[in-house]
């Protein structure tokens, strides 16, 4: 029988709630139609923000939202998106689908959206094609109370109080769409730009530098060596692509082998975080610089018939498994990973929500965020899994050649808050139920309750039928030293263990 060992006496610290964060870019139907429909829309909204989507994000306690990109961030000029709508500049979104961007969703709208959701804003500013002055004045517009011309514009646009935005990204993917820079060049640019992003009042700007693409360890090493003292966090981007970037594979039509390869690639996040952390530890042994995985998730071919630049894809139980594996990894690394942002919130890549006109559907990934929400700001608890391993290979992907060819078919993590231990776990087996023994060091469980998401690996929720949802789960026995879970195939569970 597979085993999960939970030891409440050992902990790496608090699981930052921001690990459960999201990312929304001006891309396809994420911002427009997904989050924002405008005040005049027939779709129920508050000041243009879709009520159904806002309520759904509140229900999973979405803690932080990154905006406006992504690649779009390094082409975004914030002054185009403030002031009367009729005067806002129109541009063509050259990164994503070549559609007209009318800038009707700008700074004020984004911050209102965050207020409605009750989450922290994380703004990723333009280093690639913007100027130092432009970035500095955006911070001033957002956070200063001084009687300057820049702040007077904010007042004239209807906002008296400073927003005190904290999370501030200085460029996105500067090794790629953000400017194709060498790490040495970006490190200098980063230092120059961030110098002029001033602190106003009591608000302490949390400065986030662009970090590596996947396994680019040289980027991390160079950034930590050259600019580590000037940043609060470094980012990491890693997407789970089943096959190649040219032919990624379908989101819904896949074989057992595709399923296993995809989950194996998702599990690679552990290697990446471990190795980047080891480099960061050399320069920053006290762990002052956080690692922020501000883009992650599954990336497939777009749904047939949709705009290839819109990155619209369905979301199956395979995505639920990617989410469970990845969130467990982040929980285990909570001493370095302080934020993560799933790409992307609505209608783009591994979304938690899909919309079509006035309809909305919650994806299996959404339900995993629901099952895992008790981990937010809880004390991480040591959790070791003795899992059955399945042979599988990364196929033609060079980057992964050195890695073990086995995938653990059980993932788990645990935390403790207010005397309740929360254990999350997923049985990755697509068609075999498994019994799992949970051993809790030094504790006999009191009351135990559990919830489950379960389905077939290719199953998904659509606008006509949404069978996948979270349900109560009672197929377990409490024992003297823990419990035994009878997990059905392809499931994710949350188990709440009271004293
Ligand atoms: O999330 C889609 C894109 O992926 C982002 O714009 C970019 O940062 C990354 O390459």
């Amino acid at each position: 029988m597979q085993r999960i060992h939970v030891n409440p006496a050992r902990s790496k610290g608090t699981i930052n709630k921001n690990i459960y964060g999201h990312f929304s870019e001006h891309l396809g139907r994420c911002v427009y139609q997904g989050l924002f429909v405008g005040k005049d829309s027939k779709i129920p909204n508050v000041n243009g923000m879709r009520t159904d989507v806002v309520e759904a994000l509140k229900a999973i306690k979405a803690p932080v939202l990154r905006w406006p990109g992504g690649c779009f961030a390094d082409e975004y000029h914030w002054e185009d998106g403030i002031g009367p709508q009729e005067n806002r500049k129109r541009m063509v979104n050259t990164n994503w689908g070549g559609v007209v961007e009318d800038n009707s969703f700008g700074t004020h709208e984004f911050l209102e959206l965050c207020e409605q959701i009750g989450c922290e804003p994380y703004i990723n500013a333009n280093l690639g094609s913007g100027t130092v002055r432009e970035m500095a004045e955006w911070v001033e517009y957002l956070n200063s109370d001084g009687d300057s011309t820049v702040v007077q514009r904010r007042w004239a646009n209807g906002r008296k109080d400073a927003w005190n935005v904290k999370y501030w990204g200085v460029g996105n993917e500067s090794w790629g769409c953000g400017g194709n820079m060498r790490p040495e060049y970006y490190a200098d640019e980063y230092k120059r730009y961030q110098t002029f992003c001033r602190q106003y009042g009591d608000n302490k700007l949390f400065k986030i530098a662009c970090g590596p693409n996947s396994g680019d360890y040289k980027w991390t090493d160079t950034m930590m060596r050259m600019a580590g003292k000037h940043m609060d966090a470094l980012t990491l981007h890693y997407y789970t692509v089943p096959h190649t970037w040219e032919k990624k594979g379908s989101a819904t039509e896949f074989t057992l082998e595709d399923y296993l390869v995809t989950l194996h690639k998702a599990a690679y996040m552990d290697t990446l975080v471990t190795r980047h952390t080891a480099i960061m530890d050399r320069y920053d042994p006290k762990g002052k610089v956080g690692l922020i995985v501000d883009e992650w998730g599954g990336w497939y071919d777009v749904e047939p018939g949709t705009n290839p630049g819109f990155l619209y894809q369905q979301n199956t139980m395979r995505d639920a498994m990617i989410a469970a594996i990845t969130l467990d990894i982040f929980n285990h690394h909570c001493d370095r990973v302080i934020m993560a942002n799933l790409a992307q919130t609505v209608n783009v890549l591994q979304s938690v929500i899909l919309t079509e006109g006035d309809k909305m559907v919650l994806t299996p990934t959404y339900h995993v965020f629901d099952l895992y929400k008790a981990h937010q700001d809880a004390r991480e608890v040591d959790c070791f899994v003795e899992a059955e391993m399945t042979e599988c290979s990364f196929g033609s992907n060079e980057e992964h050649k050195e890695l073990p060819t086995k995938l653990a078919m059980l993932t788990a993590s645990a935390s403790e808050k207010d005397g309740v231990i929360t254990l999350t776990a997923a049985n990755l087996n697509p068609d075999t139920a498994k019994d799992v023994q949970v051993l809790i060091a030094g504790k006999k469980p009191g009351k135990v309750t559990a919830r489950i998401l379960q389905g077939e690996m290719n199953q998904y929720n659509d606008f006509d039928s949404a069978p996948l949802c979270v349900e109560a789960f009672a197929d377990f026995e409490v024992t003297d030293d823990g419990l035994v879970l009878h997990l059905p195939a392809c499931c994710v569970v949350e188990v709440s263990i009271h004293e």
Side-chain angles (χ1 to χ4, degrees):
M1 200 189 315
Q2 298 178 102
R3 284 197 196 89
I4 300 174
H5 302 261
V6 178
N7 184 354
R10 282 170 56 103
S11 170
K12 283 186 178 159
T14 301
I15 297 171
N16 195 315
K17 67 178 179 189
N18 290 334
I19 283 176
Y20 292 85
H22 299 272
F23 166 39
S24 55
E25 178 166 12
H26 288 236
L27 194 180
R29 296 186 300 114
C30 182
V31 169
Y32 299 108
Q33 298 178 42
L35 293 159
F36 179 74
V37 286
K39 286 182 188 141
D40 299 331
S41 171
K42 290 203 179 86
I43 297 171
N45 70 84
V46 176
N47 293 331
M49 317 300 157
R50 282 186 78 124
T51 305
D52 51 359
V53 171
V54 167
E55 290 306 318
L57 292 172
K58 277 162 76 172
I60 52 170
K61 296 188 174 8
V64 61
L65 188 60
R66 176 176 180 244
W67 172 85
C71 297
F72 183 78
D74 280 297
E75 271 194 326
Y76 183 66
H77 300 281
W78 69 274
E79 287 173 284
D80 298 346
I82 58 167
Q85 296 282 349
E86 59 278 15
N87 298 341
R88 295 196 187 178
K89 192 168 161 183
R90 289 164 73 82
M91 66 180 282
V92 171
N93 190 334
T94 50
N95 276 296
W96 304 119
V99 291
V100 170
E101 162 65 59
D102 67 2
N103 277 300
S104 52
F105 188 90
T107 298
H108 290 251
E109 289 75 21
F110 172 63
L111 290 160
E112 154 121 34
L113 173 66
C114 291
E115 280 171 3
Q116 286 192 24
I117 297 169
C119 69
E120 284 275 347
Y122 164 13
I123 293 184
N124 205 130
N126 178 349
L127 179 142
S129 71
T131 63
V132 175
R133 176 176 174 173
E134 185 185 355
M135 194 185 289
E137 289 190 347
W138 199 3
V139 178
E140 184 183 358
Y141 188 87
L142 293 163
N143 289 354
S144 172
D145 277 322
D147 189 3
S148 68
T149 304
V150 170
V151 174
Q152 283 170 6
R153 282 178 82 189
R154 186 185 77 219
W155 296 341
N157 289 331
R159 176 75 187 197
K160 180 77 187 113
D161 296 335
W163 281 285
N164 294 328
V165 170
K166 177 176 173 186
Y167 296 110
W168 194 252
V170 182
N172 167 72
E173 295 196 351
S174 304
W175 37 261
C177 64
N180 289 301
M181 301 174 201
R182 291 175 303 116
E184 295 81 3
Y185 182 80
Y186 171 70
D188 282 340
E189 286 291 89
Y190 169 78
K191 284 188 280 188
R192 187 164 75 101
Y193 274 72
Q194 68 80 34
T195 301
F196 302 96
C197 297
R198 303 294 187 196
Q199 311 291 2
Y200 292 99
D202 293 337
N203 189 58
K204 166 107 176 52
L205 215 53
F206 191 91
K207 295 177 182 173
I208 301 166
C210 166
N213 176 22
S214 180
D216 183 352
Y217 302 110
K218 180 179 178 235
W219 186 281
T220 300
D221 191 80
T222 309
M223 284 303 296
M224 290 304 292
R225 177 168 48 78
M226 290 182 62
K229 291 192 173 55
H230 300 275
M231 66 176 80
D232 295 300
L234 187 70
T235 64
L236 164 65
H237 287 185
Y238 174 65
Y239 285 98
T240 301
V241 180
H243 301 295
T244 61
W245 281 103
E246 293 69 41
K247 198 137 187 31
K248 302 175 196 73
S250 161
T252 52
E253 285 168 31
F254 52 86
T255 62
L256 172 61
E257 195 189 334
D258 296 333
Y259 171 84
L260 294 173
V261 165
T262 308
L263 301 192
H264 198 191
K265 286 186 170 180
Y268 177 56
M269 182 68 87
D270 190 48
T271 305
L272 288 172
V273 172
T274 302
R275 292 180 178 180
H276 287 294
T277 297
I279 295 167
M280 294 175 81
D281 284 346
R282 279 183 27 235
Y283 296 98
D284 172 37
K286 294 205 171 125
K288 287 189 188 146
V289 179
L291 185 62
I292 293 184
V293 189
D294 59 1
E295 288 188 31
W296 68 271
W299 192 327
Y300 314 114
D301 296 334
V302 297
E303 289 305 314
T306 64
N307 185 331
F310 279 16
L311 310 187
Y312 178 76
Q313 63 189 43
Q314 248 298 354
N315 195 296
T316 64
M317 280 303 291
R318 175 174 65 167
D319 295 282
M321 295 302 165
I322 294 177
I325 290 168
T326 310
L327 293 171
D328 283 335
I329 291 169
F330 293 156
N331 286 346
H332 291 303
H333 288 276
C334 67
D335 47 349
R336 186 62 85 168
V337 179
I338 55 155
M339 189 196 290
N341 308 76
L342 175 67
Q344 299 191 7
T345 321
V346 194
N347 294 332
V348 170
L349 301 177
Q350 192 177 338
S351 310
V352 287
I353 296 167
L354 301 175
T355 67
E356 202 175 79
D358 62 353
K359 294 188 203 142
M360 178 192 83
V361 73
L362 305 176
T363 67
T365 302
Y366 176 94
H367 294 304
V368 175
F369 274 73
D370 185 28
L371 290 171
Y372 277 58
K373 66 188 176 194
H375 288 310
Q376 293 190 21
D377 281 343
R379 178 177 157 272
E380 185 265 353
V381 159
D382 197 76
C383 176
F384 169 71
V385 179
E386 277 183 74
E388 284 169 8
M389 307 297 282
T390 291
E391 196 71 40
C392 76
S393 120
F394 279 104
S396 58
N397 196 332
E398 280 300 323
E399 179 187 5
H400 302 98
K401 281 264 164 63
E402 83 230 61
L403 292 175
T405 55
K406 288 198 164 62
L407 169 69
M409 299 306 283
L410 177 68
T411 174
S413 64
S415 68
E416 187 267 329
K417 190 159 46 180
D418 301 330
V420 180
I421 294 172
T422 298
L423 171 72
T424 49
N427 175 14
L428 275 49
N429 278 284
D431 42 33
T432 322
K434 292 283 170 182
D435 290 342
V436 175
Q437 185 176 20
V438 180
L439 296 161
I440 305 172
K443 286 211 179 173
K444 176 173 165 40
K447 186 179 154 210
V448 178
T449 57
R451 300 189 299 152
I452 190 166
L453 170 72
Q454 197 256 327
E456 287 169 22
M457 68 177 185
N458 300 81
Q459 220 178 344
Y460 56 89
N461 285 340
D462 214 341
F463 299 100
D464 309 326
S465 156
L468 302 166
C469 61
V470 170
E471 290 171 303
F473 178 65
D475 202 359
F476 59 82
E477 285 105 42
V478 176
T479 61
D480 279 346
D481 49 8
L483 50 146
V484 176
L485 301 169
H486 306 291
L487 296 182
C490 202
C491 76
V492 186
V493 291
E494 177 214 30
V495 185
S496 308
I497 304 159
H498 299 250
E499 278 177 353

